[in-house]
Structure formats: structure tokens, C-alpha cells
Amino acid sequence: MRRRKSSLICAIIDQTGRDATLRDTWRRFFGGAADVPAEALERDRAAGLVPGLGDARAVCGTLTYMCERNFSMLFSREHRPEEEDELCALLLGVSRRALGYPAS
């Protein structure tokens, strides 16, 4: 995704503020995007690999939107490619901790 898709992502996010149909589609897309990691998290919790730290679906949904918003903010301005790598590393670390996985 990264830099070559950044203008498309910013345009979609900007348009969702004006278009209710697109907003609903975007919300369904991100809702579905949270389903896969939520299922994996529930499986790992059931296996005792990570602690139960709240509703898996809610936590994964929150993290999905947090990542979307951070990338939107980054892509909405000029930035260095290294900033994308730094943001990926930061969001990965925050997400792993929020889900109960070790930081690395």
C-alpha cells in the first residue's frame, strides 16, 4: 500500500466526510478488516497464549481505526519514506501490547 496508494487513501477518507453511502461502505470495510485479527486473537486467548484484555472484536476494531487515522494523517502531508517505516513499527508495537502479545 504505502506511498503509491497514499493519495487514493486520503481521497477516500476525505470523501467519507461528505458521502453517507461511502462512509457506510468504509465502515463495513474496516469492520470486516477487524474480524480476521479478532478471530485470531480469540483463538490465541483460548489457547492461553495471551491474556484476555477486553472484547477482542472491540479492541481489534479500535486498533484498525487507530492505524487508519495515523496513516491518513501521515499520507496527507509530504513525508520521508522512513516515516512510513517508523509509523509501521510504532503501530505494530502499540497493537501488540494492546492485544497482549510481547512487544517483539
Side-chain angles (χ1 to χ4, degrees):
M1 175 179 78
R2 300 248 186 137
R3 198 166 251 230
R4 43 175 202 197
K5 305 285 187 196
S6 62
S7 59
L8 175 62
I9 291 168
C10 288
I12 292 170
I13 292 168
D14 184 50
Q15 190 64 27
T16 60
R18 294 184 212 115
D19 183 328
T21 302
L22 181 59
R23 187 172 38 255
D24 289 341
T25 301
W26 194 246
R27 189 175 297 126
R28 281 193 310 276
F29 170 78
F30 272 96
D35 288 341
V36 173
E39 290 172 13
L41 179 60
E42 288 171 346
R43 184 183 60 241
D44 287 352
R45 285 177 176 179
L49 299 173
V50 293
L53 301 171
D55 178 81
R57 179 70 174 76
V59 173
C60 289
T62 299
L63 291 170
T64 299
Y65 278 109
M66 177 187 69
C67 292
E68 179 262 352
R69 185 64 183 155
N70 275 272
F71 276 107
S72 171
M73 294 301 295
L74 179 66
F75 290 157
S76 68
R77 65 174 175 78
E78 289 295 320
H79 63 278
R80 297 175 288 105
E82 296 81 18
E83 289 179 273
E84 294 178 20
D85 295 334
E86 291 164 2
L87 181 57
C88 283
L90 174 65
L91 292 173
L92 178 61
V94 168
S95 295
R96 289 183 66 84
R97 291 191 59 138
L99 296 171
Y101 293 97
S104 57

